[in-house]
Amino acid sequence: GSDDPLVLTRRATAKAFGELQEMHDLFPAAHRELDDARSQLASRRAALAQRQKKALKDKIKLNVGGQKCTASRAALCVFPRTRIAAMFGGCYESEFVRDHKGRILLDLDPDCFLEILGFLKACLAGKQPPLPVGPAGFEATMAKLLETFGITC
């Protein structure tokens, strides 16, 4: 009868096998979806890498304490895990205050900043210059700027 353990076991086994087969049949579609998602991710990563590579060639116009200058994004971002690289990496550009000509305003000592910029350019060129110390009388200002920007030896 219907209470026979052997019959019940066979029915449960058949049902479980059917459910297992249904799940197994879903795998190829799920695998294709995963492959498609991986392919799309790879394409997006490649496009982002291209945009980042292009962005590093950008020139950024600055107004540092009244001193106008231009810096390459590559120089400003030569040390990727620093605050200065985060500032000028491209994500926060809309947050900067700008002057009437669109230059990014930085309320910093221009002589110290330009010395830091020279240091970053030298590093970008593959040189290993010593950390800048600043103009005479501005050593503490320079040390604070270097700390703020995350540039340490």
Side-chain angles (χ1 to χ4, degrees):
S2 63
D3 291 339
D4 180 7
L6 186 57
V7 172
L8 292 174
T9 302
R10 286 184 180 154
R11 282 185 194 153
T13 303
K15 182 179 178 190
F17 182 75
E19 290 171 357
L20 185 59
Q21 188 63 45
E22 286 175 17
M23 287 190 288
H24 182 267
D25 293 344
L26 294 176
F27 281 126
H31 191 62
R32 281 191 302 275
E33 285 179 32
L34 184 57
D35 284 345
D36 290 346
R38 284 183 178 144
S39 177
Q40 288 175 4
L41 180 59
S43 295
R44 287 180 182 165
R45 282 184 174 160
L48 179 59
Q50 280 298 103
R51 282 196 305 272
Q52 287 174 331
K53 187 176 178 182
K54 182 181 176 206
L56 287 176
K57 295 178 183 177
D58 289 350
K59 298 291 183 192
I60 300 173
K61 294 178 182 177
L62 303 167
N63 179 339
V64 184
Q67 176 78 38
K68 282 76 173 175
C69 65
T70 302
S72 71
R73 187 180 311 275
L76 293 167
C77 298
V78 70
F79 298 116
R81 291 183 175 87
T82 59
R83 284 186 201 99
I84 195 167
M87 288 171 63
F88 294 103
C91 294
Y92 302 106
E93 297 238 349
S94 62
E95 305 296 319
F96 283 111
V97 175
R98 296 176 182 267
D99 69 10
H100 68 283
K101 292 210 173 181
R103 293 179 288 244
I104 294 173
L105 280 171
L106 297 176
D107 187 17
L108 303 171
D109 180 83
D111 294 327
C112 288
F113 184 81
L114 291 175
E115 197 173 322
I116 290 172
L117 183 56
F119 168 79
L120 295 173
K121 287 178 180 180
C123 291
L124 182 63
K127 300 175 184 167
Q128 295 181 337
L131 280 175
V133 293
F138 287 85
E139 295 87 356
T141 301
M142 177 62 82
K144 185 65 177 165
L145 271 179
L146 290 170
E147 179 185 334
T148 298
F149 287 145
I151 301 170
T152 59
C153 38

